[in-house]
């Protein structure tokens, strides 16, 4: 299985408020979003790097990634299978670690958790541009071919 196409859709700022130990986010306003076409080139370059890392991590030959790929292949086009595409929103820390990802829940709870683990466990390898709005909005088009 490959992730055939991972498209960078744009970024949005999500202001944060720390209340006790809970992190809360507020939705970005329309002026805090920039499409990929309107974003500075450095943002697009960083999004391509994130895309490359995510694809690499999903393709690794290790138990969690293998289990996720098996789910996609085995359940493709079936009830309880993965969607044809998935919008992943990712927040990247200044040290390059992935702080958080969000996406619509997959029909299978284990596959959902596997994808979350895969996308959060690595380091992008560089910091996002200092002025880059987050989250990054990346769309995966799933391809069930092995």
């Amino acid at each position: 299985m490959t992730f055939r196409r991972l498209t960078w859709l744009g970024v949005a700022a999500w202001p944060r408020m720390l209340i006790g130990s809970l992190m809360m986010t507020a939705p970005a306003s329309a002026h805090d979003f920039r499409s990929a076409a309107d974003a500075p080139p450095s943002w697009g370059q960083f999004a391509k790097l994130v895309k490359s890392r995510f694809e690499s991590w999903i393709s690794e030959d290790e138990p969690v990634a293998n289990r996720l790929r098996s789910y996609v292949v085995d359940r493709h086009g079936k009830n309880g299978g993965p969607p044809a595409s998935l919008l992943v929103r990712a927040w990247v820390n200044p040290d390059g670690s992935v702080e958080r990802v969000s996406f619509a829940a997959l029909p299978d709870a284990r596959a959902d958790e596997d994808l979350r683990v895969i996308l959060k466990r690595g380091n992008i390898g560089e910091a996002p541009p200092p002025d880059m709005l987050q989250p990054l909005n990346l769309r995966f088009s799933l391809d069930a071919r092995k």
Side-chain angles (χ1 to χ4, degrees):
M1 180 210 56
T2 60
F3 283 90
R4 211 173 14 148
R5 183 180 58 198
L6 180 59
T7 306
W8 179 49
L9 301 175
V11 291
W14 288 71
R16 297 182 199 158
M17 298 186 311
L18 189 60
I19 301 175
S21 63
L22 296 176
M23 184 71 72
M24 300 179 63
T25 59
S29 62
H31 70 277
D32 287 338
F33 178 83
R34 294 215 193 144
S35 70
D38 295 333
S42 63
W43 295 10
Q45 291 167 347
F46 186 74
K48 287 178 184 175
L49 178 60
V50 173
K51 166 199 171 294
S52 174
R53 294 294 188 262
F54 283 3
E55 289 174 340
S56 174
W57 299 342
I58 290 167
S59 297
E60 288 181 1
D61 184 15
E62 59 81 40
V64 176
N66 290 340
R67 188 172 53 228
L68 175 67
R69 290 191 311 272
S70 289
Y71 160 75
V72 172
V73 169
D74 295 345
R75 301 297 305 160
H76 178 74
K78 298 177 183 170
N79 193 16
S85 67
L86 185 67
L87 176 64
V88 175
R89 294 172 40 216
W91 290 259
V92 180
N93 291 318
D95 68 357
S97 62
V98 179
E99 175 184 336
R100 176 166 55 120
V101 294
S102 71
F103 47 86
L106 296 174
D108 181 277
R110 184 168 210 167
D112 189 85
E113 183 58 25
D114 286 349
L115 180 57
R116 194 170 312 284
V117 165
I118 292 166
L119 298 182
K120 286 186 61 182
R121 71 174 162 203
N123 190 293
I124 301 303
E126 66 181 64
D131 59 342
M132 186 173 193
L133 300 177
Q134 292 197 49
L136 283 80
N137 294 290
L138 305 166
R139 181 167 306 280
F140 285 95
S141 292
L142 304 179
D143 186 341
R145 291 178 288 172
K146 288 188 178 188

